[in-house]
Amino acid sequence: MKPTHLRLRRACAAAAATGVLVAPAAPAAAGSASGASVAWHSTPASAAAATPTPPPSPNADTGFTPLTPAVAAQLDAAVRRVMREAQVPGVTVGLWAPGKGSYVRSFGVADKATGAPMAPDLHVRIGSETKTFTVTALLQLVDQGKVGLDDHIGAYVTGVPNGDRITLRELAGMRSGLFNYSMDGDFITQLEADPEKYVSPRQLLDYSFKHPVQFEPGAEFDYSNTNLILLGLVVEKITGRPLHEVVTKDVLGPAGLRSTVFPTSPALPVPYAHGYTDQTASGKVEDSTHWNPSWAWAAGEMVSDLQDLRSWARTLATGTLLKPATQAERLKTTPMDIPGAGYGLGIFDVQGWIGHNGSIPGYEVLPVYLPSAQATMVILLNTDSQYKGQEPSTLFGEAVTTIVTPDHVYPGHRPVAPKTG
């Protein structure tokens, strides 16, 4: 068993992971581009994500390189290089910075069978970016006085190991000590055997709770999808509504996100990119587009597109859906396992970039916001197959930020030693 099999497990794409060989994608993937849009002008964020902060002037030194045609050419070359090296079928990269311009471009293919090109308007599964929506729904309930961050999970969900001591804050901050269900051997075997099978939240908890707790509540940082399943159940218990309805009405609606969905089936909204993964029983790359994402639920089941993730990255980082005090609590980070990185409540700060990444078999996303430049970066790709022990979204993020924000390179480190268990 690969220790990081089903790589929804890690908090940010920079976390330690074992190497997985990548099967070759379509030869044209790295050389073609579609849906290109490179503009040397200011591109404001959507009204839903707007804040009163005035945009920096075009000449202001925000640490963000102006997106001139020459810089766009550098970005094109860097993206194509990563695609060749990591054998990524298709990727879309979006950059927006007030006064510095915008860059939106797709490369490669969305469907290896038909050769259909990758395009900026395609939907993709967003994996752990889902956590940001689940935690936002919880924090809205905090704002309404219906729940407290320091409440114990045992008050809402029975049978949780250390449930009378683990707080909701520790769950959201990945400091509970609960075993990550997606690392359980039986879970992996059964999911590989039938990836289209529905798995319930309680079944996911059963995979986790058969393992002993890993450490005392709050003692360490350890990324666990189990934490988010529990928080999803808390949201459902308090509201009396299914999580997907709460997120849709209370988060997606106010945020103005019309292309983002919390699905209740494996179906994807059209148009969509096909996803490809090597997280299979044989280890060979397969089309995972229509695998059932129920096993990820509150931790990673959602679907979105480029423009919605652009808007959400800013909304998430600036806290426009929450009271200022609650957003301040969310942004209080504790150290992760890489320099210059911290994890808050369902959110990270990596070298100044605030947000969360996502990975689920077949897809990866990296939507982040840099407050110092009011800049947004969104990267979407249709594979999660690692290259030399790193997530491909990390490789793209590093290549892009090296050019546009050299003082804030994501993730700003070399791979740490792989975990072995």
Side-chain angles (χ1 to χ4, degrees):
M1 183 189 84
K2 305 181 186 73
T4 53
H5 219 59
L6 300 172
R7 287 182 290 271
L8 196 71
R9 71 170 297 273
R10 77 281 178 276
C12 96
T18 55
V20 180
L21 294 179
V22 182
S32 59
S34 64
S37 174
V38 181
W40 172 224
H41 59 76
S42 176
T43 307
S46 72
T51 69
T53 307
S57 70
N59 296 322
D61 184 7
T62 61
F64 193 99
T65 302
L67 295 168
T68 62
V71 171
Q74 292 180 52
L75 290 168
D76 288 351
V79 171
R80 289 190 173 106
R81 174 182 56 78
V82 174
M83 290 189 73
R84 286 193 303 270
E85 292 176 351
Q87 309 236 354
V88 172
V91 62
T92 294
V93 177
L95 292 164
W96 302 267
K100 304 295 182 179
S102 63
Y103 171 97
V104 177
R105 193 156 189 180
S106 292
F107 302 80
V109 297
D111 185 340
K112 294 198 290 186
T114 66
M118 195 70 168
D121 64 340
L122 299 181
H123 291 86
V124 297
R125 300 195 190 279
I126 63 173
S128 285
E129 184 71 14
T130 302
K131 293 176 170 66
T132 65
F133 293 96
T134 300
V135 173
T136 297
L138 175 75
L139 294 178
Q140 288 177 323
L141 296 174
V142 171
D143 279 346
Q144 297 165 22
K146 296 180 178 179
V147 66
L149 283 172
D150 295 315
D151 291 353
H152 294 114
I153 184 59
Y156 302 95
V157 181
T158 61
V160 181
N162 279 346
D164 60 341
R165 299 168 58 206
I166 296 172
T167 66
L168 305 188
R169 184 191 304 273
E170 289 163 342
L171 292 169
M174 300 296 175
R175 303 182 71 85
S176 71
L178 295 173
F179 184 84
N180 186 357
Y181 70 83
S182 58
M183 296 286 286
D184 176 77
D186 291 337
F187 166 81
I188 293 171
T189 298
Q190 293 182 36
L191 187 61
E192 286 181 336
D194 187 3
E196 298 180 6
K197 179 182 178 181
Y198 171 78
V199 187
S200 72
R202 181 52 70 170
Q203 287 175 304
L204 299 175
L205 294 182
D206 289 343
Y207 285 118
S208 171
F209 295 169
K210 70 182 183 180
H211 296 269
V213 295
Q214 314 223 68
F215 51 82
E216 289 296 299
E220 299 178 26
F221 171 88
D222 186 71
Y223 194 80
S224 174
N225 293 315
T226 304
N227 297 333
L228 268 292
I229 302 304
L230 289 168
L231 292 181
L233 292 174
V234 171
V235 171
E236 289 195 333
K237 182 165 187 177
I238 294 172
T239 63
R241 294 180 286 154
L243 180 63
H244 68 272
E245 290 186 7
V246 177
V247 170
T248 301
K249 181 180 178 180
D250 301 346
V251 182
L252 301 183
L257 306 183
R258 297 176 181 173
S259 294
T260 303
V261 296
F262 199 129
T264 56
S265 77
L268 282 155
V270 294
Y272 58 83
H274 281 248
Y276 302 92
T277 186
D278 60 2
Q279 296 197 78
T280 59
S282 67
K284 296 180 180 179
V285 174
E286 296 180 11
D287 186 327
S288 59
T289 307
H290 300 296
W291 287 8
N292 195 325
S294 61
W295 65 270
W297 194 50
E301 191 171 2
M302 292 177 65
V303 176
S304 190
D305 69 0
L306 178 74
Q307 290 297 333
D308 265 17
L309 289 178
R310 171 197 175 187
S311 177
W312 178 243
R314 182 180 175 93
T315 297
L316 178 66
T318 58
T320 55
L321 298 185
L322 303 173
K323 293 180 178 179
T326 304
Q327 178 70 0
E329 289 297 307
R330 176 172 219 165
L331 294 178
K332 289 180 180 176
T333 62
T334 55
M336 295 166 61
D337 53 359
I338 58 175
Y343 200 85
L345 304 180
I347 197 169
F348 64 51
D349 182 333
V350 177
Q351 300 296 329
W353 289 99
I354 296 175
H356 210 291
N357 65 347
S359 180
I360 192 168
Y363 302 92
E364 289 198 346
V365 299
L366 178 59
V368 286
Y369 181 76
L370 185 66
S372 61
Q374 298 179 36
T376 305
M377 175 174 69
V378 179
I379 299 172
L380 315 176
L381 52 152
N382 60 348
T383 184
D384 66 313
S385 299
Q386 294 184 347
Y387 175 70
K388 294 186 176 180
Q390 288 207 70
E391 307 291 336
S393 60
T394 298
L395 298 173
F396 285 113
E398 185 172 49
V400 169
T401 55
T402 296
I403 294 169
V404 298
T405 54
D407 293 331
H408 300 277
V409 175
Y410 178 95
H413 81 115
R414 292 302 175 190
V416 293
K419 294 180 180 179
T420 57

